[in-house]
Amino acid sequence: MPVYRESGSLEAVIDDVLGASRDMDVETELILVDDGSPDKTWEIVERLASSHREIRAARLSRNFGKESAVAAGLELALGDAVIVMDADGQHPPALLPEMINAWRAGGVDIVEGVKIDRGSETLFSKAGAELFYLIWTRLSGFEMRGASDYKLLSRRVLDAYLEMGERAVFFRGMTAWLGFTRVQIPFEVPERASGESSWSVMRRLRLAVNGISAFSSFPLHLVTLAGIIFFLFSLTFGGYTLILQITGRSVSGFATVILLLLVIGSLLMISLGIIGIYLARIYDELKGRPRYIIAKVLGAAEVVPISNKNV
Ligand code: UDP
Ligand code: MG
């Protein structure tokens, strides 16, 4: 569970989750990854960890973002299966038995919670998410509508996930890429237990750009495509202009020249921007920095996550 600024409701949510897991016949460990929360979240996590032996926790050295926090939790997990869920109560623990039963029945490696509606998000953010999933699905070829991070992965899948070496992790996309047999369990997103979502428009946009550039190089080919279209256009238009010139019918084309300059100028700059996005990703991956830094661990301290070993 990635946890960031959840001091208001964390205890209640953990109670629910532990309650649900105790009703089932499974041995559970609950891993809380505090994503560098500035509020009292870590104190609450410490208190919870000291009173429940199922809880292990790690505190990241600063806010690395949800994706990195999830990666940290996955690397720490020891179980035969692992479930990723939000700490804000928006992933109902009532689904846990269903997920575990689906996995135990066999033949299924990924059990994914699918949002049937997006809860009380604003129209703008719902539309943004829809648009992102539409583009992502088209470009990457993996279905992701309604996807959430509420997923169960079997050990097999988790091991395959841990093999994926990218620094900029994107859990939803990476599990889609992994394949394996999966079943979906629809759920309605309840209200946040307290506080508010910490995803600003900018952060969502960044996640979208990262998500798309990590799973498709189509935008790069788009640049080539635009180039080809413009080349064909330039052949016809160039020929036409020459004929006008030769036959002495050429008119003064100031407006045309300005328009062409503007269009081509913007196209070039957008193209450079697209190349820049991929270049930046290559640069980030090349630096090979760890996905996150762990400052403190609680419970089973001898377990060292993979990212912090010398890979
Ligand atoms: N979260 C995190 N790091 C962050 C932001 C969020 O670990 O920088 C956690 C947060 O505590 C919650 C989950 O990610 O458990 C989902 O966050 P949120 O509810 O803000 O996102 P939303 O549900 O609006 O997508
Ligand atoms: Mg939430």
Side-chain angles (χ1 to χ4, degrees), residues 234-250:
S234 74
L235 280 184
T236 18
F237 199 68
Y240 175 65
T241 315
L242 266 181
I243 292 169
L244 283 187
Q245 177 73 27
I246 291 164
T247 54
R249 282 186 293 144
S250 82

Side-chain angles (χ1 to χ4, degrees), residues 86 88 90 192 197:
D86 282 1
D88 58 359
Q90 289 193 299
R192 247 178 164 283
S197 169

